[in-house]
Amino acid sequence: MHVPDGFIDAPTSAVTGVVAAGALAVSLRGARRELDEKTAPLAGLVAAFIFAVQMLNFPVAAGTSGHLLGGALAAILVGPYTGVLCVSVVLLMQGVLFADGGLTALGVNITDMAITTTVVSYAVFRALLAVLPRKRRSVTVASFVAALVSVPAAAVVFTLLYAVGGTTDVSLGKVATAMIGVHVLIGVGEAVITALTVSAVIAVRPDLVHGARGLRQRLKLRVGGTLVDAPAPTAPVAARTSRRALWVTGLVTSLVLAGFVSFYASSSPDGLEKVAHDKGIDKKEEKHASAGSPLADYGVRNVSNARLSGGLAGVIGVGVTVVAGSAVFWVLRRRRAEDVSPVNPGL
């Protein structure tokens, strides 16, 4: 789904850049309300995990592969505003360091892969939780459906952007049919990964999962013939592991996935690449501005062994992403602390 330079014309790319910048500004403010000292470290880890899992292309049809987009996973784990920032950090690292996703198309990719997937998935997730029993299993089910819907939604948005600013003369109907069709299949893989990951985190630290807050139905008391909510229990949510242990486990898992498991990922083109090649959308694709990067195409320059080169690139990518993401969310957490601190009476 990473859109290269040249697929979408300059005016449309510029408009999506403005949209993306506005959405990021709103997300920065919203994330300050979502993050606290417990969840801020998790947000940086979520960005690194998404980077790692995006390296694991899985086959979905003859000659086509797919990979996690991550918007639904991020929104459910750390909140929709923080989720937009997580995926955006990943896209920025991929574009600048690995020449994956055009730099002039960065606004397109953030609008499509970060904003669309996060907003759509979280809306679906919340709608389902409103009607499902307030249990952990419901969060898993809602996560699956939300992630499944988010991927074809991103395909629809790309198709609309292509209709407005596509640089090649290809039938819109053919593009829409091909994009939505293959991304429905990719959405199944996205749903499985998202549901399994959310379920695993809930099993050990439900208090850290944004989408799992307030799972249990509040006890009702009858007062004067009227049912009212009983006072919330003061006992903390039981945790099966510490935050540090969860963070270390998640980071090690990300490093293993990116540094080792990624070597066995499908080499087939992903959904957008396949459609672009088959339909002729890629005729005006431009050379990436970061094509000369030492890490371009997820390999380390001058390392001849393919397995070692890809593994090192993956490990570096996870490391850079977790540092960049953690820095952003640490600053936001500090700003939150300043916002809630007592006002200086001398001001």
Side-chain angles (χ1 to χ4, degrees):
M1 188 65 79
H2 293 77
V3 180
D5 296 316
F7 276 26
I8 305 296
D9 63 22
T12 307
S13 296
V15 171
T16 57
V18 173
V19 171
L24 290 176
V26 172
S27 296
L28 286 168
R29 181 174 293 274
R32 286 160 60 181
R33 298 191 299 270
E34 291 175 342
L35 295 172
D36 56 31
E37 62 178 9
K38 294 195 303 181
T39 56
L42 179 63
L45 178 62
V46 168
F49 183 77
I50 290 173
F51 175 91
V53 180
Q54 283 198 2
M55 294 183 67
L56 308 181
N57 281 46
F58 48 86
V60 294
T64 310
S65 69
H67 63 71
L68 182 81
L69 298 186
L73 177 62
I76 294 164
L77 288 179
V78 293
Y81 294 108
T82 309
V84 169
L85 298 178
C86 284
V87 181
S88 297
V89 167
V90 173
L91 293 173
L92 182 61
M93 296 299 103
Q94 291 170 331
V96 172
L97 297 179
F98 297 91
D100 188 10
L103 295 184
T104 62
L106 186 58
V108 173
N109 284 318
I110 290 177
T111 299
D112 196 23
M113 295 178 64
I115 300 170
T116 299
T117 58
T118 302
V119 171
V120 170
S121 64
Y122 198 70
V124 172
F125 177 79
R126 280 299 171 194
L128 289 174
L129 283 191
V131 297
L132 292 172
R134 300 178 66 81
K135 299 180 179 179
R136 294 182 184 180
R137 184 176 300 177
S138 298
V139 174
T140 302
V141 172
S143 300
F144 183 94
V145 177
L148 176 63
V149 173
S150 70
V151 178
V156 170
V157 169
F158 169 79
T159 303
L160 293 175
L161 292 174
Y162 176 80
V164 174
T167 56
T168 52
D169 186 17
V170 179
S171 167
L172 182 60
K174 292 181 179 180
V175 173
T177 300
M179 282 293 294
I180 297 171
V182 71
H183 283 91
V184 167
L185 299 177
I186 295 173
V188 175
E190 178 102 9
V192 171
I193 295 170
T194 300
L196 288 176
T197 305
V198 170
S199 179
V201 179
I202 288 179
V204 294
R205 288 303 299 257
D207 57 313
L208 297 181
V209 179
H210 182 87
R213 293 175 181 174
L215 277 180
R216 294 186 179 278
Q217 183 69 40
R218 195 61 88 70
L219 178 66
K220 298 287 186 179
L221 298 178
R222 187 175 296 278
V223 178
T226 303
L227 288 176
V228 298
D229 288 332
T234 57
V237 179
R240 296 176 60 182
T241 188
S242 68
R243 280 181 286 153
R244 178 176 295 180
L246 176 64
W247 196 91
V248 171
T249 301
L251 181 60
V252 170
T253 300
S254 300
L255 291 170
V256 171
L257 291 175
F260 178 73
V261 181
S262 62
F263 182 78
Y264 301 97
S266 173
S267 60
S268 299
D270 67 22
L272 177 58
E273 292 173 331
K274 178 67 171 175
V275 172
H277 178 73
D278 290 348
K279 305 302 178 183
I281 298 175
D282 60 356
K283 290 179 181 178
K284 294 188 178 181
E285 180 179 351
E286 299 173 2
K287 183 179 180 180
H288 200 287
S290 297
S293 167
L295 299 172
D297 299 322
Y298 297 94
V300 178
R301 184 186 298 172
N302 298 327
V303 176
S304 58
N305 184 286
R307 179 176 300 199
L308 180 60
S309 177
L312 285 175
V315 169
I316 292 170
V318 168
V320 171
T321 303
V322 75
V323 169
S326 297
V328 170
F329 300 124
W330 180 82
V331 171
L332 290 175
R333 184 185 67 177
R334 290 292 298 272
R335 293 291 300 274
R336 170 190 170 97
E338 294 172 3
D339 290 344
V340 301
S341 62
V343 178
N344 187 337
L347 294 179

